[in-house]
Each structure stands twice: as structure tokens, then as C-alpha cells.
Amino acid sequence: MRTRTLAPALLLILPLATACGGSSGTGGGSSSKTVTVTVGYQSKTINTVTAGTLLRSLGYFEQELAARGKKDGVTYKVDWQDYATGAPITAQMTAGKIDIGSMGDFPLLINAARGRELKQPTRLVSVTGYNLRGGLNTVVTAPGSKLASLADLKGKKVSTSVGSAADGTLVRALQRAGIDPEKGIEKLNQQPSVGASALQAGSIDALSQFVAWPGQLAFEGRAQALYDGAELNLPTFHGVTVREKFATERPGVLDDFLRAQRKATDHLRSEPVAAAESVAKETGLPAEVVYLYNGANGIATFDPALRPELLAALKEDVPVLKAAKLVDSVDVDAFVDPEPLGRAAAGVQDYPAAAPARPELWLKEGNRTQGFDTPAALLKALKAAGPAGVRAAYVPDAVTGTLWFADKAVWVAEGSELRAFVTPSGAKAYVDQHAGSGARILSFAEAEALAS
């Protein structure tokens, strides 16, 4: 594999006016104490919003800290620091300058490894959003690209963020396609925004990235899906990591954060449209893209619980990072600390398991959404509402369940049934497997006409 680093180094070191977890001086003859809690988050990685963008906008953490401050006579402040990826958050945490951070599963493992190496150990304490099949990562190409499947990437230029969850998906997917991820492609290590620009400029053939980049590029007509990460059928998630020293010194503050995260999760699950609008306002992302991932039937399921299947998947990620020489080893069991979440969520009922995604229509009238039992019913309602009455229409992939924009999906007719797929290769595989039933690929317009 030839790897070029075209983006500036992500290991940013930003000075803080007040040391994390420290106290300020006295004045006016009376002493005062101020504790600053520094939180690193990724505003545009929108399945971390319950520990970042949405949590910040709702002010739940500050409310928890205000109540604590009244009890212990301390003024608590939160310093929110926004980054594009998990790498600089890890750099700041291992420098003792960020207390709590959120990032994807592969970056979490790097966070654990770097913390141990630099004697600033960290702990995984909760999950933000997850997808049990891996649908949060997608490989996309330029619109009209002749690349039809992952196998076509052999010898091509592919941009990703090395060490990210999207990179992990790319490596695994290439291996399954019979392509050596070390030699079979020319991998470019780029920040997501740089890779997106490179795709538009035609200087790369494909882009492998995490939520919400693939959906945004597809929505804006700047990309089309080539590979749905859910085809791997391996869980992927983002989670919350904390410096062990901070967690030991201020366990109550960590509990406050996790309680606030739970409140933000409650808000997102009960008011998904409002939450999507809020995140869109804060990030500049289209609300329709945010809802694709964070909506009622979104690709991401939000639940802070450290689910066994997620932790098992995390262990399976370690060999991939070791093979890429990004970590020597990671003791996942030692990295995971369920106690803080157990304290913060004591007596709180668990969230129900994620249900299969349903087709969904976001109507402009009343700014409301409507769910449907079948793709055909969605298309019929979509046509009846007309373009002027619809904000977005979403449909799950017939095999992986990954939600996608209905007008960007690949449609298949099989008798009277209509099915949608995220990728052309997914649709073709289905048609090939059901050749005897007359299954055929058709355009979105043709599918809409058949549904009438």
C-alpha cells in the first residue's frame, strides 16, 4: 500500500487558560474556586451528538454541574472543544488537556493504546450511537463513476482517514473482495473534508468515510454509494472516553456528564425531528442528512449502554489496527469501565432494542414524519405529496437495513414488490440471486410509477 499524508498533522496542541480540573485564584478578600471540565467532541460526526453537539446545545451538563456546585461551593465551567476526527482529541487527552472525549471504535482503541504508552490512561465509559451491522461507514464514488463494486477499486486511489472506523471498514471490505489493502490500492490519508474535495475534483477514485460524510455527499449530489459498511455485518459505534486520573479525582463530575448524556439521548429519541434541526443549526449540515443517521429510523441507534456485542466487536478491531502498525496491543477489558455508567443510570430503565428500520417520509407541512410498512407505500405517498411538499424520503436497504435517501437508492422490482438498495452491487447481487422471479433493476422514476 502506498500511503500519502496530504492533510496537516492532526495532533494539535492547544493551550488552555485554566488547567483541566484545576482551580482559579482568589480576589476581593474572599476565596473562590473554579473547576473547568474540558470536553472534546466532533460536531459533524453526528452519531456522537448526545455527548457533543446536541448535549452542548441543550445545556444538560452545565445544569448538572450547577446543581453540584451549589452543594460543594465550587463554580464549574465546561470548555467544549470541537475537532474533525478523534486523533487530536486523543492527543489532547494524553497531554492532560482534555478530560472527556467522544470518538469512533477504532480511534477509541488508539486512545487506549496512546494513553497507556504515555502514562495518561483512559477508560471507555459509555456509547453514543451504534449500528450493529456497521452501516455508519460507507465507501462512495463520484456521480456517474464506472466503478460498480468494491472489486473495481483494485489499483485505484482511495481516500480515508487512517486509523478511523471508516478506514477499518475499508480494510475489511477490501480483504473480503480479495484485494490486499496494503498493496491493492493507493490509499491517501486525508481528513474527511479534504477527501470530499478530492473526490469532487476527480483526484481520487473513491472515498471511505464515517457518518455523516457519505450521506451528506449523496444528498448534495456529489457522490454515490459504492459499498455499504453494513455488508460486513460487524458492529460499529462511537463512545465516550475519559482520562483515568480525572475519573478518579472527580467521579461525581463524570457521573454528571453521563446523566446529562442520558438526558440528551432521551431528548433525541423522543424528539428526533427537533433534535435533527438543532444539530443541523449547530453544525451547518443539512437537517435531512442529520435525520438520515439520527432519526426515528436512522442508521444510528442511540443508547449509552456498553452492549456486549459492541465490546466483542471492539476486540475484533484490535488485530486490524495491529496489522496497520497503529497499535501494539490493547487490553479491551481493562479499557472498558462500566462502573460510572452503572452509578449514573442506577434505577433507570434500559432502552428497548432497536427495531428494523421502516420507510419514512419527512413532510414540510407541520414539519412531521410519517412511517410506512413497505417501500411501495412510501413511494405512493411521496408521489402524492409532490416535490414541493416533501423534505426527504428514506428507505431501508432490503438486505442490510441501512437507511438511505429514496431518490438516491437503487430500486429493484420483483413481481409486485419493490425493494431498495444502497448500492448498485447490492441490487445486482439480489437480482442475480432471484433471476427466476423476474427481478430487475429500475430507475427511481420507474419505481415511483410502479408504486402508483
Side-chain angles (χ1 to χ4, degrees), residues 128-204:
T128 56
Y130 69 87
N131 183 283
L132 291 179
R133 290 190 61 108
L136 297 171
N137 306 307
T138 312
V139 181
V140 298
T141 59
S145 171
K146 294 181 180 180
L147 302 177
S149 70
L150 207 69
D152 294 334
L153 289 182
K154 189 172 183 179
K156 303 298 184 182
K157 293 181 180 178
V158 183
S159 172
T160 191
S161 300
V162 172
S164 72
D167 183 30
T169 290
L170 177 64
V171 169
R172 283 192 167 117
L174 289 172
Q175 290 172 337
R176 289 194 183 183
I179 299 174
D180 185 342
E182 295 296 318
K183 301 176 182 178
I185 64 167
E186 182 178 351
K187 184 190 291 187
L188 281 70
N189 180 19
Q190 299 177 322
Q191 293 189 51
S193 60
V194 176
S197 297
L199 186 68
Q200 190 169 14
S203 58
I204 60 172

Side-chain angles (χ1 to χ4, degrees), residues 65-103:
L65 291 177
R68 179 170 298 279
K70 289 180 180 180
K71 295 177 182 177
D72 58 22
V74 173
T75 299
Y76 291 96
K77 294 182 179 179
V78 184
D79 180 10
W80 296 91
Q81 296 187 5
D82 188 8
Y83 297 91
T85 64
I89 297 176
T90 289
Q92 292 289 73
M93 291 186 77
T94 54
K97 295 183 177 181
I98 284 181
D99 302 310
I100 301 170
S102 56
M103 59 192 71

Side-chain angles (χ1 to χ4, degrees), residues 295-376:
N297 293 281
I299 300 174
T301 297
F302 287 85
D303 183 350
L306 295 162
R307 298 169 63 101
E309 55 266 57
L310 300 181
L311 302 183
L314 199 61
K315 293 179 180 180
E316 291 187 36
D317 293 340
V318 176
V320 179
L321 288 172
K322 288 181 69 175
K325 296 180 171 51
L326 293 173
V327 301
D328 290 330
S329 64
V330 180
D331 185 341
V332 173
D333 291 327
F335 177 50
V336 177
D337 183 1
E339 290 188 10
L341 187 61
R343 294 193 305 264
V348 178
Q349 188 174 4
D350 291 339
Y351 292 113
R358 301 175 67 207
E360 193 171 5
L361 189 63
W362 189 350
L363 298 167
K364 290 181 180 178
E365 183 181 358
N367 197 30
R368 59 187 175 86
T369 63
Q370 182 178 356
F372 299 88
D373 292 329
T374 67

Side-chain angles (χ1 to χ4, degrees), residues 392-434:
Y394 309 95
V395 64
D397 185 283
V399 173
T400 68
T402 301
L403 206 66
W404 206 240
F405 298 108
D407 61 334
K408 309 298 183 185
V410 183
W411 287 86
V412 168
E414 184 178 13
S416 60
E417 297 291 325
L418 288 171
R419 293 178 172 82
F421 297 84
V422 173
T423 66
S425 60
K428 183 179 183 302
Y430 185 89
V431 168
D432 290 345
Q433 293 166 8
H434 297 79

